[in-house]
Amino acid sequence: CYTVEASRNGAPVRTLLKRRGDQLTLIAVNIEDRPVNLYVRIQQKISDLTIQVGDTGGFRAEAAGWCDILQGFGARVYRFQLAPAS
């Protein structure tokens, strides 16, 4: 399970999470023409996080998620795995 927060109320960010084997892919889209800060939290620790589509400027990975900036009408495709349970 995951949560997405945006830097302003009512921010128009749409997401879709897909699983293929042990790989997860999150697609995030900003449907407005203004930039928005995006905070993604995954309930479990993640590993091998990469940006598949989109600019990496503003991106910062963390143990259980990441922060990013989606430009106006911008999109990102993130790929990651869930880390093994300790």
Side-chain angles (χ1 to χ4, degrees):
C1 190
Y2 71 103
T3 59
V4 176
E5 297 176 22
S7 58
R8 56 181 196 274
N9 291 337
V13 175
R14 304 295 183 261
T15 61
L16 174 68
L17 182 65
K18 303 279 288 181
R19 178 186 289 259
R20 175 180 253 171
D22 61 351
Q23 293 284 318
L24 291 128
T25 302
L26 181 74
I27 301 167
V29 179
N30 178 0
I31 62 171
E32 271 190 0
D33 64 352
R34 294 184 346 189
V36 63
N37 293 330
L38 181 71
Y39 307 96
V40 178
R41 301 290 173 252
I42 309 295
Q43 284 186 337
Q44 204 174 322
K45 285 188 179 180
I46 61 174
S47 65
D48 301 324
L49 173 63
T50 60
I51 295 178
Q52 300 294 304
V53 174
D55 182 10
T56 59
F59 174 78
R60 187 180 79 239
E62 299 175 355
W66 60 90
C67 303
D68 204 351
I69 299 170
L70 288 179
Q71 296 302 320
F73 300 121
R76 294 278 195 286
V77 177
Y78 307 96
R79 183 165 291 152
F80 58 97
Q81 292 180 308
L82 298 178
S86 300

